[in-house]
């Protein structure tokens, strides 16, 4: 039995699995493919049938949808986004230049003439990218699919939306020719600025008829469907030019144009036509454009979809503030005069730093809808950046205070040699910012460290480049610069006690299809200590006071701020001139940034005035804008050190000592440690006091007095470290009495010759009892009162006097 069991076990081990035969594999694969093909055919038929049905039922949706509406902070309507849709014209296929069609096909759908609505190669590539990214990132849409999507205006990248889009695309391909589809696409596509259709776009952007478009213009338009705002030649000329180059390269690669044509079209620089002004419409265009950008970010809709989605967008706009701003920006007297049609430009933004709500903004003078919004454009900030990169980081370290003395001497830091008009005397940080001293700011950044200064600036929202990491950073010498929005945001943090501020224009959005959005502020961050924010505010309050560089910004409530100017930087021109002029400031309620300058600075276009003009514009706008806004106050944090002067000296006394002919002065000691006492004196007939003595003890003796004179004295306690003096003590007056000399008879000199007859001297012999100044007369000599130091019988000479009897400039320090 055991042997049989072993045999069975060994037999079971040796038994092989039965392999599928080649025929079985063939039939398995064959039926799988057949089933797949059948399912594919059925699916494709369902797509076609569904597309036909949708196209028949919803073909009317080729027309535009319901306009979205924008409201101000009080709920009043300020703009309808539908009105700009009037900028459209329908072009026949024959009107569209061939290279315009080629540019669109090369950029948007290279196999447009080969597929039947769906590009399965592009779909496969998109699926792979979506799987790798684990989200729907790649569209893979054909021109026909994009047209289908525009019919339904849905931005979600879901399977069902894509399936519906595919259905309509296939149906469109069944019912229309390629030329008709391409013409419909080019007539419907959105080109930014409220312009639909290639014909209207040619007119708006280039001022030409569609048939007269040049290659570079066609490539510029073909670059825009991907992102109409980003690749708009008016909004972002550099990005537009870069994207145009990509389109031209694609056209060259696909053999639509030659290399010579490509290079020539790449090199053209865009200039907007003058007639664009006629397209300007609506109220507060710069603010509305800013809202649209923010709404696109919030809703994830394209601009076209946003405009026709029937949304109700509620904003932070303060019409009183906006109207005040618009009035002053329309007044040419607020800006320097230009010698030609290129005007001095400007921009401004006002933020309620307590909530982050943007109250108003100006994108520029004569701003057109979807124009060049200078509020978001980078310019050199000049000295307005000093609180951000130099003084703020220094105060935050805890080693420096507004009263700290900074070096102000002319010196070079490595190879960097800044200059200003001030002398070499050390200056307090507060005075340095009030005067906008360059040397002190550079010295301060050098002490703090460039990395620390840059980190502090970036924490406040100022984006820096690697090339900015040098001491020129202290004077605003940035590679790219900072925008008014960024500068206002950074200063808002100072005004908000060091806490982060999130500038925004939208409070909520309500939609017809259940879409709702309500703004929620991000968690507040303490970006700098409350003490640092207070010190910066306290210092910049002095900038707006009399004598400060920003004094013209003063209004009927406290204002802290900083001016900033940058040199023209024009090659070959060595004269004076300014490229950028700033004032960034805040009240306890609102923060604002004002910029002035030319869009393009050159030999004929630069400013002659500095930040004072920007400061003046700040005041002209802010005062009426803030009418009715409750007045708050800057709050001093409990931990902030106060730069208090020493207490007033008490019990100051002065006693005349007739025996010693001196005045003894004394007083109570100050409660503050490390103070000296400065004693001041003046004679009754003098107009000003002179410092008589300085010491650390609580008493001093004045021996430099004269009989018959009256003296006034006072004393102050002085903190030498912080350069602060107490209030003067009570004044004490001392009257020094006249000194009468005794009448002493003159004894004859036994060596003098005597007349044996009558005992008198001969006149004129020089022996007149010592009065050799009577020119030899024989009149008797009487005793005379003499002034100290005149060579006669002396009275006691006070210590510390000159030989001529005048009180010494530096009095004696002898005393008790």
């Amino acid at each position: 039995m055991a042997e049989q069991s072993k045999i069975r076990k060994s037999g079971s081990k040796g038994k092989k699995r039965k392999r599928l035969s080649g025929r079985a594999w063939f039939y398995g694969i064959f039926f799988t493919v057949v089933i797949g093909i059948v399912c594919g055919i059925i699916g494709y038929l369902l797509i076609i049938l569904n597309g036909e049905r949708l196209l028949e039922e919803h073909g009317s949706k080729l027309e535009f949808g319901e306009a979205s509406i924008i409201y101000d902070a009080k709920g009043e309507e300020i703009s309808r986004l539908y009105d700009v849709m009037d900028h459209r014209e329908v072009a026949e296929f024959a009107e569209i230049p061939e290279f315009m069609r080629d540019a669109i096909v090369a950029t948007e759908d290279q196999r447009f003439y080969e597929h039947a609505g769906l590009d399965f190669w592009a779909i496969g590539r998109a699926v792979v990218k979506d799987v790798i990214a684990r989200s729907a990132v790649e569209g893979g849409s054909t021109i026909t699919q994009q047209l289908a999507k525009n019919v339904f205006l849905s931005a979600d990248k879901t399977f069902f939306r894509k399936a519906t889009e595919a259905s309509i695309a296939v149906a469109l391909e069944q019912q229309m020719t390629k030329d008709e589809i391409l013409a419909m696409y080019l007539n419907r596509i959105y080109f930014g600025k409220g312009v639909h259709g290639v014909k209207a776009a040619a007119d708006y952007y280039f001022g030409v008829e569609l048939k007269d478009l040049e290659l570079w213009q066609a490539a510029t338009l073909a670059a825009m469907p991907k992102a109409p705002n980003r690749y708009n030649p008016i909004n972002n000329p550099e990005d537009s030019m870069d994207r145009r180059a990509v389109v031209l390269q694609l056209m060259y690669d696909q053999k639509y144009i030659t290399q010579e044509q490509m290079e020539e079209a790449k090199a053209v620089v865009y200039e907007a036509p003058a007639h664009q002004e006629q397209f300007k419409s609506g109220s507060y265009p710069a603010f509305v454009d800013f809202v649209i950008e923010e709404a696109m970010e919030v809703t994830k809709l394209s601009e076209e979809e946003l405009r026709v989605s029937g949304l109700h967008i509620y904003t932070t706009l303060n019409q009183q503030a906006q109207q005040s701003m618009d009035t002053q920006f329309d007044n040419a007297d607020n800006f320097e005069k230009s010698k030609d049609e290129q005007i001095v430009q400007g921009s401004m933004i006002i933020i309620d730093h307590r909530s982050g709500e943007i109250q108003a903004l100006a994108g520029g003078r004569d701003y057109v809808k979807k124009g060049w919004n200078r509020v978001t454009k980078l310019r050199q900030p000049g000295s307005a950046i000093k609180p951000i990169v130099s003084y703020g980081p220094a105060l935050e370290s805890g080693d420096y205070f507004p009263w700290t003395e900074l070096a102000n001497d002319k010196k070079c830091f490595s190879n960097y040699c800044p200059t200003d008009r001030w002398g070499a005397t050390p200056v307090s940080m507060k005075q340095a910012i009030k005067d906008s001293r360059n040397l002190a700011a550079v010295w301060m950044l050098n002490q703090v460290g460039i990395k620390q200064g840059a980190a502090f600036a970036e924490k406040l929202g100022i984006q820096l480049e690697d090339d900015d990491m040098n001491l020129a950073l202290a004077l605003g010498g940035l590679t790219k610069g900072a925008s008014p929005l960024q500068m206002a945001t950074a200063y808002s943090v100072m005004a908000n006690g060091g806490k982060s501020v999130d500038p925004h224009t939208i409070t909520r959005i309500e939609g017809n299809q259940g879409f709702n959005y309500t703004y929620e502020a991000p968690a507040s961050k303490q970006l700098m200590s409350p003490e640092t924010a207070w010190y910066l505010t306290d210092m910049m309050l002095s900038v707006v006071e009399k004598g400060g560089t920003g004094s013209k910004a003063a209004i009927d409530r406290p204002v802290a701020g900083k001016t900033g100017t940058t040199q023209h930087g024009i090659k070959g021109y060595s004269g004076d001139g300014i490229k950028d002029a700033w004032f960034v400031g805040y009240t306890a309620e609102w923060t604002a940034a004002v910029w002035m300058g030319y869009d393009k600075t050159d030999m004929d276009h630069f400013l002659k005035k500095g930040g004072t003009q920007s400061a003046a514009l700040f005041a002209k706008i802010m005062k009426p804008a803030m009418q009715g806004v409750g007045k708050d106050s800057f709050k001093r944090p409990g931990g902030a050190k106060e730069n208090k002067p020493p207490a007033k000296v008490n019990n100051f006394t002065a006693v005349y000592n007739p025996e010693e002919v001196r005045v003894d002065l004394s007083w109570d000691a100050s409660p503050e440690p490390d103070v000296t006492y400065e004693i001041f004196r003046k004679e009754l007939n003098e107009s000003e006091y002179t410092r008589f003595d300085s010491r650390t003890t609580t008493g001093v003796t004045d021996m430099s007095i004269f009989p018959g004179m009256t003296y006034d004295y006072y004393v102050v306690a002085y903190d030498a470290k912080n350069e602060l003096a107490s209030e003067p003590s009570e004044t004490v007056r001392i009257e020094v009495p006249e000194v009468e000399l005794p009448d002493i008879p003159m004894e004859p000199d036994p060596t003098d010759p005597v007349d044996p007859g009558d005992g008198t001297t001969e006149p004129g012999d020089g022996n007149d009892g010592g009065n050799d100044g009577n020119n030899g007369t024989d009149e008797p000599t009487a005793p005379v009162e003499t002034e100290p130091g005149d060579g006669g019988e002396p009275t006691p000479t006070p210590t510390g006097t000159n030989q001529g009897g005048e009180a010494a400039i530096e009095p004696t320090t002898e005393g008790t």
Side-chain angles (χ1 to χ4, degrees), residues 358-384:
I358 296 175
Q359 303 295 300
L361 62 85
R365 300 171 67 189
D366 301 325
Y367 181 88
V368 296
K369 191 176 290 291
K370 298 304 295 179
W372 181 259
N373 194 338
R374 296 163 185 83
V375 162
T376 62
K377 306 308 175 186
L378 305 180
R379 302 291 298 210
Q380 298 298 321
S383 292

Side-chain angles (χ1 to χ4, degrees), residues 381-396:
S383 292
I385 208 170
K386 289 175 180 176
I388 298 173
V389 300
S390 290
Y391 302 129
L395 295 166
E396 187 75 352

